[in-house]
């Protein structure tokens, strides 16, 4: 499918994206999907994989690098800025709505993994988003994360981040952790499963670096989706894997229950979390359901 290298501004930062167009008629006016993906991910990984498949099904699809990541501007590099990511998404919607190939009344958001939280936060307050798909999404809230870490471990991590912030203020030097670490902490995504995707040829790409700011992990652990789910009025689809141990299916089911409007839930028989990153056994059914859901909702 044709891919146009594009740029757009978000709060003064130049963001780089890949706009996936339709091979048969790239000038036709179509619905569009903006994608946002996992922690530390860049457009050549999960979001690009999904964008290609959405384009194959008739949607203009935008995969882009958020500020601080990949080919986009922003400092410090490899820093997760949760508030900025939502702003980037909002500006990506503005960019798509102005494209001649896009019907501005048919723009959807698709968030994979941590991107699911940002998609919810966007849709809660941006009525231009006419439908939302959350795939293998995270459903963080600080209390849930604290309970799963244990109160003492969570407090110790918060103390560690406070010390990091103080050292950075004293020295002016940004501290970095690995983005993935098969041995565990410190890492943005610890353990062997994230490394199986990012640390191998399966997911490693030239635009991706195995590092993130240490304070990115503070951003990750203190995200909140629960306050936003009841505010989403756009039709919402949740796709989740039954075998996902990183984000238990119960989290997806609880999120589904919290959404007040039109909604659908699709559970797939995955064996882990990253099956829904790039395994077409699961990705294609997710895309099929999302396309069907968008067509019935927008």
């Amino acid at each position: 499918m044709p891919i146009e290298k594009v740029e757009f501004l978000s709060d003064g930062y130049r963001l780089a994206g890949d706009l996936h167009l339709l091979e048969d008629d790239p000038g036709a006016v179509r619905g569009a999907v903006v994608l946002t993906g996992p922690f530390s991910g860049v457009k050549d990984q999960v979001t690009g994989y999904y964008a290609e498949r959405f384009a194959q099904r008739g949607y203009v699809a935008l995969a882009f690098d958020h500020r601080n990541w990949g080919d986009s501007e922003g400092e410090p590099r490899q820093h997760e800025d949760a508030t900025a990511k939502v702003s980037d998404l909002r500006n990506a919607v503005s960019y798509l709505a102005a494209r001649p190939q896009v019907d501005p009344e048919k723009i959807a958001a698709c968030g994979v993994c941590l991107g699911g939280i940002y998609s919810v936060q966007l849709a809660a307050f941006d009525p231009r988003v006419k439908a939302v798909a959350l795939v293998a999404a995270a459903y963080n809230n600080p209390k849930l994360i604290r309970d799963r870490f244990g109160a003492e471990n969570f407090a110790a991590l918060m103390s560690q981040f406070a010390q990091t912030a103080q050292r950075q203020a004293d020295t002016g030097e940004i501290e970095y952790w690995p983005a993935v670490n098969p041995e565990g902490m410190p890492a943005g995504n610890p353990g062997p499963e994230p490394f199986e995707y990012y640390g191998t040829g399966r997911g490693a790409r030239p635009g991706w670096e195995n590092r993130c700011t240490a304070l990115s992990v503070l951003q990750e652990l203190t995200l909140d989706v629960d306050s936003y789910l009841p505010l989403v009025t756009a039709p919402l689809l949740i796709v989740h894997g039954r075998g996902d141990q990183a984000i238990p299916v119960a989290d997806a089911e609880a999120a589904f229950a919290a959404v007040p409007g039109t909604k659908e839930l699709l559970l797939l028989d995955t064996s882990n979390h990253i099956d829904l990153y790039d395994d077409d056994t699961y990705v294609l059914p997710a895309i099929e359901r999302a396309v069907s859901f968008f067509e019935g909702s927008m």
Side-chain angles (χ1 to χ4, degrees), residues 10-22:
S10 182
D11 304 330
Y13 295 98
R14 180 193 58 81
L15 304 190
D18 290 338
L19 190 67
H20 294 248
L21 301 168
L22 280 66

Side-chain angles (χ1 to χ4, degrees), residues 136-137 193 240-249 270-274 276:
E193 186 181 335
H240 211 80
R242 290 190 176 92
D244 192 331
Q245 300 301 312
I247 305 167
V249 69
T270 61
S271 60
N272 56 37
H273 178 67
I274 61 173
L276 271 162

Side-chain angles (χ1 to χ4, degrees), residues 181-195:
N181 180 0
E183 303 301 321
M185 294 293 281
N189 282 317
E193 186 181 335
F195 190 84

